[in-house]
Amino acid sequence: MAEGTASTTTQDPGAGGRRTTAPRRASWRHIGPGIVVAATGVGAGDLVATLVAGSRFGYTLLWAAVIGCLVKISLAEAVGRWHLATGRTLFDGWRSLGAWTTVYFAGYVVVWGFVYGGAAMASSALPLAALFPGVLAAEWWGILCGLVGLVFVWFNRYAVLEKAMTVLVGVMFLVTVYVAVRVTPNLGGAVAGLAPVLPDGSLLYTLGLVGGVGGTITLAAYGYWVNAKGWRDAGWMKAMRLDNRVAYLTTGVFVVAMLIVGAELLHSSGVALAKGDRGLLDLGTVLADRYGTVTANLFLVGFFAASFTSLIGVWHGVSLMFADFVRRIREGRGTAAGAASGAGEAAGAGPRPDGAASGDAAPLEGPMERSLPFRAYLLWLTFPPMALLFLDRPFALVIAYGVVGAFFMPFLALTLLWLLNSARTPREWRNGRLSNGMLGLAALLFVVLCVEQVRELPW
């Protein structure tokens, strides 16, 4: 099936079960899953990292932010292409590479979910505590955010999540661009920052900008959101690619805007931010001193939007991945047997583009969102991590979280290279030179970051 020529009808559970037709041309009205994955991947910690890079090196590392955007576009496109070209989920692909992938993912999703749940709730709580001082302690704001996220995801389907995320992304976009314009950017310096330069002591900050912003397990969840949208065959390939590019170009605007703020507001005045999400509260204080309370409060609203989109996006997307993980384990069959049976079970699943037997088309929206594994992981993300809001993370947990988390992005990039260059993918949708080059660059980058993260753990 040639790209862009398909006009295939598939079932769209996210649209109330009506039939949808894959478009011959990509259209702006199809954009959605990319916004969800980009908004989920860019959290408060990413904004702080970008601000710190700008405060230390001015505009010098702007080129790294641009390359980072291109790397994320390539990774998310590869995930979406696997789902659409094969009709199989990413975890199904991982299982075909061997049992070791199941062992790694099982450890990762349990430890990561526990620690991330606490971090997401704490991050969402900080701007609310600053906006409404004296109303609730930060810990209780965090618990409230977790519960709101739980209820929202528990009772809503993907279509509602997409609309909510789009609104919150709009808030993030307007606030970050407003603040960047407010600090009066040096356009000449910004243009000069597009030239690749590595100042002394900037290597780790450069790697962090390229690989860290928007680079999490949510990139792997993109294919699940693509399926939830009702896109399940190669006829949607052009729509997916436009969706992905627009989303990560939007992410690029966020990153550039925060780098401008760091360069103009912090670098020029020598202001240092606190580590972690609290650094954004420091920035709110600086904005209040320079531009008034209204600007500072607007920034805190954007801070909350960035944090809460990450929370509800992970609550939904990673729970879908976990539900698929449990389903594959229960099936207990090899990839070939699972593909043959899954083709008959998947409502609205399109045939493989090469005419071969299709894998499970992963209609995860609907029944899987109501499944026990989905809701069990949703509860795991919400309730056990609440203890971390009141306690320091135990030493062993810090080590385990750091190790399994550091290995995930190299794992994703390398397995995508493997899957998309093998017979598991129909020939016309396998990697070309550009895709292999970008995924290879991503793999190398994330391996270096992985080694550095593990080395810096408090052994």
Side-chain angles (χ1 to χ4, degrees):
M1 183 182 296
E3 177 187 352
T5 62
S7 182
T8 305
T9 301
T10 57
Q11 191 76 16
D12 182 2
R18 64 177 180 266
R19 308 290 287 181
T20 62
T21 301
R24 292 182 180 276
R25 296 180 182 177
S27 170
W28 291 91
R29 66 186 179 87
H30 294 123
I31 292 172
I35 294 294
V36 175
V37 71
T40 303
V42 178
D46 297 311
L47 298 184
V48 171
T50 309
L51 280 169
V52 170
S55 68
R56 292 195 176 215
F57 303 104
Y59 292 100
T60 309
L61 299 182
L62 184 61
W63 63 272
V66 173
I67 291 178
C69 181
L70 297 176
V71 167
K72 304 312 182 307
I73 287 174
S74 300
L75 280 166
E77 188 275 341
V79 172
R81 177 155 44 95
W82 166 264
H83 275 248
L84 295 179
T86 67
R88 297 161 64 186
T89 67
L90 186 56
F91 187 75
D92 194 16
W94 285 339
R95 283 197 71 196
S96 74
L97 301 178
W100 65 274
T101 60
T102 301
V103 173
Y104 171 72
F105 186 78
Y108 174 82
V109 79
V110 171
V111 176
W112 182 89
F114 178 65
V115 179
Y116 182 84
M121 287 186 276
S123 179
S124 298
L126 286 175
L128 293 176
L131 282 167
F132 306 102
V135 176
L136 286 175
E139 294 81 3
W140 294 106
W141 277 119
I143 289 173
L144 181 60
C145 289
L147 293 175
V148 170
L150 170 69
V151 171
F152 177 82
V153 174
W154 190 287
F155 291 105
N156 287 301
R157 303 175 72 179
Y158 169 79
V160 179
L161 173 76
E162 183 184 295
K163 289 181 174 64
M165 295 288 266
T166 301
V167 171
L168 290 171
V169 166
V171 172
M172 290 168 57
F173 186 91
L174 292 175
V175 168
T176 54
V177 171
Y178 167 75
V179 174
V181 171
R182 195 80 168 84
V183 300
T184 315
N186 178 350
L187 296 181
V191 171
L194 295 175
V197 175
L198 275 178
D200 291 341
S202 67
L203 178 60
L204 292 182
Y205 292 96
T206 303
L207 293 175
L209 275 179
V210 175
V213 180
T216 69
I217 190 175
T218 54
L219 279 168
Y222 179 55
Y224 291 82
W225 283 319
V226 162
N227 289 156
K229 180 77 170 176
W231 303 352
R232 296 208 181 90
D233 57 50
W236 290 97
M237 200 69 76
K238 275 196 170 182
M240 180 275 293
R241 284 170 167 164
L242 175 64
D243 171 73
N244 174 46
R245 290 165 186 166
V246 169
Y248 277 98
L249 287 174
T250 303
T251 299
V253 172
F254 295 150
V255 173
V256 170
M258 296 309 288
L259 196 72
I260 288 172
V261 173
E264 293 294 341
L265 195 61
L266 306 177
H267 181 66
S268 59
S269 58
V271 175
L273 299 180
K275 290 185 177 181
D277 299 347
R278 290 187 178 276
L280 293 183
L281 293 183
D282 290 350
L283 178 59
T285 302
V286 174
L287 287 171
D289 292 340
R290 295 280 186 92
Y291 303 107
T293 304
V294 172
T295 297
N297 286 343
L298 280 174
F299 176 75
L300 290 174
V301 170
F303 177 2
F304 173 74
S307 299
F308 196 65
T309 51
S310 295
L311 187 152
I312 60 175
V314 165
W315 265 225
H316 186 274
V318 184
S319 295
L320 276 182
M321 293 187 69
F322 182 76
D324 186 42
F325 166 74
V326 172
R327 180 171 66 171
R328 303 298 171 185
I329 297 301
R330 284 176 173 173
E331 286 174 353
R333 295 190 288 267
T335 302
S341 63
E345 296 169 359
R352 280 258 302 259
D354 59 353
S358 174
D360 192 345
L364 297 181
E365 216 286 334
M368 291 300 284
E369 285 184 323
R370 303 294 184 260
S371 68
L372 179 60
F374 180 93
R375 289 182 163 174
Y377 193 74
L378 191 52
L379 294 173
W380 173 252
L381 283 168
T382 306
F383 289 106
M386 287 179 180
L388 298 179
L389 297 174
F390 299 93
L391 303 170
D392 289 333
R393 286 184 290 177
F395 176 77
L397 184 61
V398 171
I399 297 297
Y401 177 75
V403 171
V404 298
F407 277 91
F408 184 79
M409 290 306 291
F411 169 80
L412 176 63
L414 290 169
T415 54
L416 284 171
L417 271 170
W418 190 346
L419 291 169
L420 293 169
N421 283 290
S422 72
R424 297 172 181 84
T425 304
R427 183 174 298 277
E428 65 180 303
W429 299 115
R430 291 177 198 167
N431 278 355
R433 291 181 181 178
L434 179 60
S435 294
N436 278 326
M438 292 303 295
L439 288 179
L441 172 65
L444 177 62
L445 167 70
F446 290 125
V447 166
V448 173
L449 284 173
C450 171
V451 171
E452 183 61 28
Q453 285 178 261
V454 173
R455 189 183 67 81
E456 290 187 347
L457 288 173
W459 298 97

